[in-house]
Amino acid sequence: MTTISRPCGEIAVRGAFDIEAAARFLTGFAPAGQPEAEPGALRVAFALDGEWTPVGAVLRQRSPGEVVVEVHGPPEHTEAVVEQVRRMCSLDVDGTAFPEAGTRDPVVALLQGLHPGLRPVLFASPYEAACWAVLSHRIWMTQAVRLRRRLTERHGTEVDVGGSGLRAFPVPAVLAKLEYLPGLPGPKVQRLRGIAEAAAAGMLDAATLRAMPAEEALKQLQLLPGVGRFSAELILIRGAGHPDVFPRGESRLHEIMRDAYHLPEAGAAELAEIAEAWAPFRSWVSFLFRVEGEARMRESR
C-alpha cells in the first residue's frame, strides 16, 4: 500500500484553544455547510484568498500550544493555506490575555467557563462572508442556508480533503458570471456579482481591512452592493477576523446581552459601553454571547 505524503504546516497557539470545540461549532454553524466533525480534527475546503485556487486542509491539535495543518492542494500554496486557516480559527491573534476580560466582567468569566478554548471560527474569507450577508439578507436562516448550499453545489469546486469530498464556495470569477439561481431574487444575483467583482479587484483583502481603523473599514465595506452596517460588521468580524469590534448593528446579540445583564431597556450605545471592558477582544466575547444564546434557544425548543 502506497502512502501519500501531504505537505504540512504548524501553527503556534498563543493562549487557550480547543480544536474540538472549533470543529463542533463549525459543524453546527449551518452557513458553513460542514459535515460531521471527525474527533480531534477540523476539515475545511475553501478558495485561497486572493489567488482563488480551491484547496483543503485538515487541522489537528498536537498539544495545547500547537496545531498541525495537513494541506490538500498545490504544494506551492502550502504556506498560504496554513496562513488562511490560521486566520479562520482566530489563531493569528495572541489570546494569552483573553481571560483578563473575564476578570473585568463576571458575565464574561461565566461565558469563558462554559466554552473553554473556543475562539471565533470565521468564514474562509471576507468575500465568503460578504456573499453570506447578501444571501441571508431579510430571509429566514433556513432559506439562506438552502440558497448557499444550492450555489455551492452548482458552482463550487469539490476538493478531496483526506478522503472526504468537500465543496469549496464558488470563486469570484465564477460568481461574477452568475445569471440565475433558483429561489434567488434578481437583485441579489446582481449584488453577488458585484461582491465577486470587488473581491477579484482586491477590495475584500483581509489583511488590508484588519490594518485599517475599524470604523474606516466599516465605511469602506458599506460601499459594496447590498452591504449596510450589519453586513459590514459581519464581514469585518467574521470574514477578516478583526478581534476587537463590538457589533452595534446586531440586534440578536443585543437581546442576549440585555438578558444576561438584566437590562431590558438598554440600547446599542449602553451595551457598547459595557463592551468597553472586553477590549481588545470585543469580537471574541460577542461571539461567545451568540454561541451561548443559540445553545439556550435550542435547549428551550
Side-chain angles (χ1 to χ4, degrees), residues 60-281:
R60 295 184 176 89
Q61 193 159 10
R62 179 178 290 171
S63 69
E66 185 179 31
V67 169
V68 177
V69 183
E70 179 183 292
V71 176
H72 294 263
E76 63 269 23
H77 293 318
T78 296
E79 185 176 344
V81 172
V82 172
E83 283 304 304
Q84 192 156 337
V85 296
R86 187 168 173 257
R87 185 182 75 235
M88 290 164 63
C89 291
S90 296
L91 295 173
D92 58 341
V93 176
D94 186 344
T96 306
F98 185 45
E100 294 177 13
T103 65
R104 295 189 293 270
D105 186 329
V107 176
V108 175
L110 178 61
L111 284 173
Q112 292 171 329
L114 289 170
H115 304 280
L118 179 60
R119 299 185 181 203
V121 184
L122 313 181
F123 286 92
S125 62
Y127 158 65
E128 282 199 34
C131 289
W132 172 250
V134 169
L135 288 171
S136 60
H137 184 61
R138 293 189 175 179
I139 63 174
W140 293 106
M141 171 76 77
T142 52
Q143 294 174 290
V145 169
R146 283 197 297 270
L147 287 171
R148 186 192 184 282
R149 184 181 302 122
R150 191 174 299 153
L151 186 63
T152 303
E153 288 174 351
R154 294 187 178 209
H155 301 285
T157 301
E158 184 168 289
V159 180
D160 183 352
V161 185
S164 298
L166 301 182
R167 281 202 167 267
F169 190 77
V171 300
V174 171
L175 207 57
K177 298 176 182 177
L178 183 69
E179 295 291 339
Y180 170 75
L181 186 75
L184 188 66
K188 287 195 175 184
V189 172
Q190 295 174 7
R191 289 169 189 162
L192 285 177
R193 288 203 301 261
I195 295 294
E197 290 167 0
M203 295 172 62
L204 284 165
D205 178 70
T208 301
L209 291 169
R210 287 266 291 267
M212 299 169 65
E215 283 301 320
E216 184 179 336
L218 291 170
K219 287 179 182 178
Q220 179 171 304
L221 288 168
Q222 287 178 76
L223 299 176
L224 297 171
V227 173
R229 173 79 187 199
F230 172 84
S231 297
E233 289 174 345
L234 184 150
I235 297 165
L236 183 60
I237 297 170
R238 299 297 300 281
H242 196 302
D244 193 34
V245 176
F246 177 71
R248 290 176 175 266
E250 191 174 333
S251 59
R252 175 60 184 146
L253 168 65
H254 300 169
E255 290 175 10
I256 297 168
M257 287 180 65
R258 289 187 194 104
D259 183 59
Y261 289 97
H262 307 290
L263 296 169
E265 305 300 324
E270 184 176 351
L271 297 174
E273 286 183 14
I274 292 172
E276 291 287 340
W278 312 344
F281 296 100

